Amino acid sequence: MTEYNSIAATDFKSDTVTTPTPSMLQAMLTATHGDDVYKEDKTTNDLQARVAEMCGKPAGLFVVSGTMGNQICLRAHLHQPPYSILCDYRAHVYTHEAGGLATLSQAMVTPVHPGNKIYLTAEDVENYLILGDDIHTAPTRVISLENTLAGTIMPIEEIAKISTLARQHGIKMHLDGARLWNAAAETGIPLSEYGKHFDTMSLCISKGLGAPVGTVIVGEPDVIQTANWFRKQAGGGIRQAGLLAAAADVAITETFPKLKLTHEVTKKLASELEEMGLVFQIPVQTNFIFLDLMKAGIDPAVLIEEGNKLGITITGARIAIHYQTLTAAIEKLKLAVKKSLEIAKQRHANGTNGVKKSQGSLAYGVYDKIVVDH
Ligand SMILES: Cc1ncc(COP(=O)(O)O)c(C=O)c1O
Ligand SMILES: C[C@@H](O)[C@H](N)C(=O)O
């Protein structure tokens, strides 16, 4: 891994902690200073056009966060309540966007559990689509997928089947592509191939790519214009956005090519943890490892404390690797896990390690609310 002096270098809570590189900061110094509300900023317009072209879409819009990108895309697809959005029960748009679907979109949600426990299939979706005009219902108007979700990749063949199903029923397709870059880097499938199956996509540049701020949403001009309207309504209009867009542009150019290496480092760590006896909640396919702390009998508070003692930040079962993660920090993480396992064994031996159950959303590293009887 590239050795950085970033504060993110020892932080495993998320890939959102990545910090701007000197080249990003340098680009900000030479960015244009047009007013983006009036669409007068060249740097911003160029970034939007670049990402839209990469995704095979005619229009793009730079927004300040992935949450805003998702919420204004979904709102732009919805016209007359009652309506609902179908998504994975772990989807960020449902679990971690502050209830935006209810307030901004007045939408019901159909949260679906994947039959294979990893990703939604067309069969899963078809079983839960709400169709027709029965006045008791809130018909499905959008299917919102997420790729990657908790680091796992949704096969494009399944995405295509779901998209075909959606189009048969006049249902819109949105992709929360906060980490679509990771899926594309790992599979070698171009962003534009994914774009064929969605009406809108939201791609974060502030996570694994390392930009300080920003997401770009892509789609048809009319939908992006409507989304832009909702962006403005939410106070998301940005004046000199070029400063942020310049850093985001560098992030795509410089970091997107490094994601595959990040995944290799993640998988190597995963295999070393498996050798220590750890098992994972879901397959390790890109840059996240979800430890099964219950199976290991590890109290998350102990793991967090052992990490702190070693000067690294762990926040629970989810271990996030990014391109600024220090190799030395990974060695410390293994030590923290090793020590936590030893403590778990000691507690088990004296009958005080009652790790009972895990609550809360483990998909986003929310602190594992594991009940532990000491
Ligand atoms: C899958 C996914 N979608 C959307 C978001 C929202 O992005 P932001 O935190 O920039 O609002 C996140 C978290 O950052 C995420 O992990
Ligand atoms: C916590 C969540 O909102 C964030 N997207 C993360 O993955 O860290």
Side-chain angles (χ1 to χ4, degrees):
M1 294 293 280
T2 310
E3 301 301 313
Y4 273 88
N5 60 2
S6 160
I7 56 171
T10 58
D11 193 340
F12 294 93
K13 78 163 79 71
S14 177
D15 52 4
T16 59
V17 301
T18 47
T19 55
T21 61
S23 51
M24 291 178 200
L25 298 174
Q26 185 60 43
M28 293 173 81
L29 292 174
T30 56
T32 54
H33 294 164
D35 185 328
D36 180 51
V37 170
Y38 296 105
K39 299 298 166 202
E40 293 176 352
D41 183 66
K42 185 179 185 310
T43 305
T44 307
N45 291 340
D46 288 352
L47 173 72
Q48 289 168 165
R50 180 186 184 190
V51 177
E53 193 276 329
M54 291 174 82
C55 295
K57 293 296 183 187
L61 180 69
F62 182 74
V63 297
V64 293
S65 69
T67 298
M68 179 169 281
N70 285 324
Q71 293 298 319
I72 64 176
C73 280
L74 292 166
R75 183 63 189 83
H77 289 314
L78 299 166
H79 304 291
Q80 176 54 58
Y83 39 53
S84 60
I85 292 164
L86 186 150
C87 61
D88 188 298
Y89 80 105
R90 301 159 298 171
H92 196 272
V93 298
Y94 173 57
T95 65
H96 274 68
E97 298 187 4
L101 297 180
T103 49
L104 179 60
S105 291
Q106 297 177 300
M108 288 294 287
V109 178
T110 307
V112 180
H113 287 246
N116 58 33
K117 301 196 186 307
I118 302 173
Y119 58 84
L120 289 179
T121 64
E123 184 183 2
D124 294 327
V125 169
E126 189 159 27
N127 288 341
Y128 286 91
L129 283 181
I130 301 172
L131 305 173
D133 56 5
D134 177 339
I135 62 170
H136 296 82
T137 69
T140 306
R141 294 285 183 254
V142 188
I143 294 168
S144 184
L145 302 180
E146 185 173 319
N147 195 21
T148 64
L149 191 155
T152 60
I153 296 167
M154 189 169 191
I156 196 163
E157 298 78 12
E158 206 61 47
I159 292 173
K161 288 178 190 170
I162 294 171
S163 183
T164 301
L165 177 66
R167 282 161 185 171
Q168 284 168 352
H169 297 290
I171 293 171
K172 298 295 184 183
M173 288 283 289
H174 173 70
L175 178 70
D176 176 353
R179 296 183 182 86
L180 184 61
W181 310 97
N182 296 80
E186 189 63 22
T187 61
I189 297 172
L191 299 174
S192 56
E193 277 306 302
Y194 289 103
K196 288 176 182 172
H197 305 296
F198 293 95
D199 297 287
T200 49
M201 302 202 294
S202 177
L203 293 90
C204 292
I205 312 176
S206 59
K207 301 193 171 42
L209 293 191
V213 175
T215 285
V216 175
I217 60 174
V218 296
E220 293 300 319
D222 60 331
V223 176
I224 295 300
Q225 174 55 15
T226 304
N228 183 37
W229 216 328
F230 286 113
R231 181 186 79 163
K232 187 65 178 144
Q233 181 188 71
I238 315 168
R239 297 302 175 184
Q240 282 63 48
L243 296 163
L244 300 175
D249 190 60
V250 169
I252 295 170
T253 303
E254 294 189 355
T255 315
F256 187 20
K258 295 174 182 172
L259 292 182
K260 183 83 170 138
L261 174 61
T262 300
H263 302 163
E264 288 163 12
V265 169
T266 307
K267 291 171 191 171
K268 178 172 180 293
L269 172 59
S271 63
E272 291 164 342
L273 292 171
E274 280 179 314
E275 286 167 15
M276 293 165 64
L278 272 294
V279 294
F280 310 129
Q281 296 178 50
I282 47 175
V284 177
Q285 295 179 345
T286 56
N287 69 314
F288 287 126
I289 297 170
F290 280 80
L291 303 170
D292 191 326
L293 297 177
M294 278 197 302
K295 282 212 175 83
I298 292 176
D299 176 347
V302 167
L303 178 61
I304 292 166
E305 177 56 27
E306 291 305 318
N308 290 340
K309 288 177 189 173
L310 292 164
I312 61 174
T313 302
I314 304 170
T315 53
R318 186 181 74 165
I319 306 296
I321 304 294
H322 48 77
Y323 81 110
Q324 296 178 348
T325 304
L326 266 181
T327 304
I330 290 175
E331 293 307 310
K332 289 179 177 179
L333 182 129
K334 290 188 285 185
L335 276 176
V337 170
K338 183 169 181 286
K339 183 65 179 163
S340 302
L341 275 171
E342 289 166 1
I343 292 169
K345 290 190 175 83
Q346 286 160 11
R347 284 183 180 180
H348 184 71
N350 58 35
T352 61
N353 192 45
V355 177
K356 299 292 185 194
K357 64 186 172 76
S358 174
Q359 304 158 352
S361 160
L362 299 187
Y364 292 99
V366 174
Y367 182 84
D368 311 303
K369 303 178 184 68
I370 290 182
V371 176
V372 182
D373 298 336
H374 294 305

